[in-house]
Amino acid sequence: MPTALVSRINGLLAEIASQGDVEGLELDEGGMCQIELKDKRRIGFALDERREQLWLFTGLFSFPEEDMDARSVLYERMLSANLLLVGSEGGMLALDPVEDRAIFQLSLNASTVDTGEIGRGISALVMRAESITDSLLRADIAEQHSPT
């Protein structure tokens, strides 16, 4: 049986889904789900019940498979951008080890969040993800790797 917090978030996600004509937007047993926007960007949702945080996240780019020097540069840039959240525009950059890609994530207070705040979070995530990707994939690396 879902907890009150899971039920609350699922209710908000259902409301957002109905506004965007999306079906089945509901947290799975692991507390996660995702939607695909019109521009094909996927937005993920992950509920951390213990910390009462709803995470919104999106992929930025895949890491170069064979080029360890380029990977090192990207890791360094991501860590630098996370310093005081200045270079990451208030969100966090992280490595998704399953898909070997960089992700950008924002956190919302799951206990108080409403549909408007989630909607604004999605918009901010998309806008910030583009500018962060541009700053991380400067010309020396951007020629080799494109955003996903």
Side-chain angles (χ1 to χ4, degrees), residues 119-137:
R120 288 187 298 277
I122 292 169
S123 296
L125 192 74
V126 171
M127 289 188 316
R128 293 177 191 170
E130 291 176 15
S131 66
I132 290 168
T133 298
D134 290 345
S135 73
L136 291 173
L137 294 177

Side-chain angles (χ1 to χ4, degrees), residues 55-134:
W55 290 93
L56 283 63
F57 59 94
T58 190
L60 297 178
F61 53 83
S62 297
F63 285 99
E65 290 182 30
E66 303 294 327
D67 189 345
M68 295 311 289
D69 290 337
R71 285 179 87 96
S72 295
V73 168
L74 288 169
Y75 293 153
E76 182 178 326
R77 288 179 184 174
M78 287 174 64
L79 285 171
S80 295
N82 273 339
L83 179 65
L84 303 176
L85 307 180
V86 174
S88 61
E89 299 184 30
M92 292 289 298
L93 296 165
L95 169 64
D96 175 352
V98 174
E99 295 191 30
D100 198 29
R101 65 182 178 155
I103 64 168
F104 178 60
Q105 56 193 18
L106 297 172
S107 173
L108 304 174
N109 183 326
S111 296
T112 60
V113 71
D114 59 24
T115 55
E117 189 176 4
I118 293 173
R120 288 187 298 277
I122 292 169
S123 296
L125 192 74
V126 171
M127 289 188 316
R128 293 177 191 170
E130 291 176 15
S131 66
I132 290 168
T133 298
D134 290 345

Side-chain angles (χ1 to χ4, degrees), residues 42-55:
R42 290 181 291 160
I43 304 293
F45 301 89
L47 178 62
D48 181 344
E49 284 190 85
R50 191 170 60 82
R51 293 184 183 94
E52 296 186 352
Q53 295 295 305
L54 178 64
W55 290 93

